[in-house]
Amino acid sequence: MKKKCMSQAGVTLIEILTAVVIVGIMAAMASPYFERGIEQVRFRSQAKNITSMLRTARSLAISEKVPHGVDFNFASGVITLFKDSINPAASQYDIGADPVIATDSIAANYAGSYTTFTTSAIIFQPNGTASESGDIEIRYYSESSYKTGQVNVLASTGRCKIMYIEQNGAG
């Protein structure tokens, strides 16, 4: 006599639903960490964009042998890379007169950001030096925390770098 063996291989609907619920709960718990991570990446990206624009202005000034600058207008949320051809001695951006090479926007979350330059612009000379030393302070505000970063420009060499990025608050 042959015995028929019924194999019980397979997964029941209850087991599948239990696994889906467990995965859903774990994803919901991890979600705030992903949001904070995305905020941190966006903040670091803004600091790197500012540094990149400063370095581009310095490189253009050296290669084209004409002063180039970067103007920071945090009130309107615009950073402008320009050729300082109208009044180079003034070390400022003459809106509508100096040729604009590129612009970048700053999100509203960066309220409170500022520069320590005497004007809102930094000018790089054809020899690579900057019009003055100073810092660009970047502040990013979210619902639960704020982050602060600083980009430093050294006048004697024109070098610029991100000095620090600090996270404050619960985030």
Side-chain angles (χ1 to χ4, degrees):
M1 254 198 235
K2 273 189 173 177
K3 236 186 192 180
K4 272 192 168 178
C5 279
M6 295 293 261
S7 174
Q8 293 295 325
V11 181
T12 66
L13 182 60
I14 302 267
E15 293 170 332
I16 291 174
L17 290 176
T18 303
V20 168
V21 167
I22 290 171
V23 169
I25 290 170
M26 291 175 65
M29 290 171 51
S31 177
Y33 295 106
F34 287 125
E35 289 175 19
R36 278 187 250 151
I38 290 170
E39 283 180 2
Q40 183 70 13
V41 167
R42 285 184 181 147
F43 178 73
R44 286 182 184 272
S45 174
Q46 185 66 55
K48 288 178 182 179
N49 285 346
I50 289 171
T51 305
S52 175
M53 194 168 278
L54 289 166
R55 289 177 179 164
T56 300
R58 181 175 183 263
S59 295
L60 287 171
I62 293 169
S63 65
E64 294 180 10
K65 304 211 183 319
V66 174
H68 283 70
V70 179
D71 181 67
F72 298 93
N73 189 338
F74 290 109
S76 65
V78 177
I79 300 173
T80 307
L81 171 62
F82 63 95
K83 183 185 284 188
D84 194 17
S85 57
I86 299 302
N87 189 5
S91 294
Q92 68 182 21
Y93 173 50
D94 297 316
I95 299 171
D98 285 327
V100 174
I101 297 169
T103 59
D104 194 7
S105 61
I106 303 170
N109 304 48
Y110 291 91
S113 298
Y114 64 92
T115 67
T116 60
F117 307 122
T118 53
T119 66
S120 62
I122 183 79
I123 310 296
F124 294 93
Q125 302 303 322
N127 64 0
T129 61
S131 57
E132 61 183 304
S133 292
D135 301 315
I136 300 100
E137 186 86 21
I138 310 161
R139 295 181 179 171
Y140 176 83
Y141 295 93
S142 67
E143 292 177 14
S144 60
S145 67
Y146 68 94
K147 297 168 184 53
T148 305
Q150 186 179 58
V151 178
N152 179 265
V153 179
L154 185 61
S156 60
T157 61
R159 305 263 174 166
C160 34
K161 65 180 180 174
I162 299 172
M163 293 299 291
Y164 66 85
I165 293 183
E166 177 179 300
Q167 182 168 323
N168 303 304

